[in-house]
Amino acid sequence: MTAEELNAHAWPLYGSRQQPVRVSSRPRVARPPVAHAVIGVGAIVLSERGVLLGRHRRGTLELPGGTVEAGESFEQTVVRELAEETGLRARPEDVTLLGTLLDDVQGVVRLTVGALVDTWEGQPATQPDESVGDWAWYPLDRLPDGLFVCSAQILTAWRPDLPVDHTPAHYTPFADGASSAGPVTDSTG
């Protein structure tokens, strides 16, 4: 359908005999924008042995997760990152989104979506060419020191009673039963 045909079909909706003029959008400039934000996911994978954490090559312990790619839903990102980093297989319908965590790292806004993976197949294993590996299960009452900030924020947004210290973030829940919106602070704040 051409723009003129769309316009002719749309104008009666406005209650006017005059046909509205269609407008278009355009980018501000021809060059790509400078990145001011990072969007990622972190997945809580639980078993009877605890929560799954892997060691990043820089030393922190992390939940499976990573950066959202263009065109992906958050659930699809969780499933992809889980497979890429751990070898575990899940489906988007196995993922429950918990909410968003918003903080700032050296002038870059970081938006992290926390998720809970209800069902998966396989055994976690270090994957070739991934920056996180050495996957292990940690009991929630004995979490290790050195958690990556985003992983710590997700865990305490999900379970505010966990004794985990981290920099604060603003949390907005998605799922029913998730903690209420507001700042997520460490266990001392």
Side-chain angles (χ1 to χ4, degrees):
M1 191 176 279
T2 68
E4 290 79 23
E5 291 170 327
L6 284 171
N7 215 9
H9 287 284
W11 74 266
L13 298 174
Y14 296 101
S16 168
R17 296 203 183 277
Q18 230 178 358
Q19 206 170 330
V21 176
R22 290 194 62 83
V23 296
S24 63
S25 63
R26 66 173 184 82
R28 285 189 209 127
V29 294
R31 67 181 185 277
V34 175
H36 296 285
V38 177
I39 302 173
V41 298
I44 299 169
V45 180
L46 289 173
S47 79
E48 64 282 347
R49 294 177 285 168
V51 64
L52 184 62
L53 297 171
R55 184 161 307 278
H56 191 278
R57 66 176 171 240
R58 292 188 178 139
T60 56
L61 286 162
E62 306 186 7
L63 297 168
T67 304
V68 177
E69 293 181 357
E72 280 185 323
S73 70
F74 294 130
E75 294 91 346
Q76 290 168 329
T77 303
V78 168
V79 169
R80 178 183 52 77
E81 288 288 349
L82 192 62
E84 287 176 2
E85 290 186 344
T86 71
L88 296 176
R89 295 172 307 283
R91 300 168 302 164
E93 56 267 24
D94 299 328
V95 177
T96 301
L97 299 178
L98 301 174
T100 60
L101 291 142
L102 189 63
D103 66 354
D104 180 276
V105 179
Q106 299 176 354
V108 176
V109 174
R110 179 170 53 192
L111 183 123
T112 306
V113 176
L116 183 63
V117 179
D118 302 318
T119 307
W120 70 91
E121 294 178 355
Q123 293 297 318
T126 299
Q127 302 299 305
D129 301 320
E130 287 296 319
S131 58
V132 182
D134 297 328
W135 296 98
W137 301 100
Y138 292 86
L140 289 173
D141 61 350
R142 286 178 280 154
L143 291 171
D145 272 338
L147 290 173
F148 177 51
V149 171
C150 292
S151 296
Q153 292 168 338
I154 291 166
L155 287 167
T156 59
W158 170 63
R159 289 273 307 270
D161 61 315
L162 291 174
V164 177
D165 296 333
H166 59 77
T167 56
H170 183 80
Y171 178 62
T172 303
F174 288 160
D176 291 335
S179 299
S180 61
V184 173
T185 58
D186 65 35
S187 61
T188 62

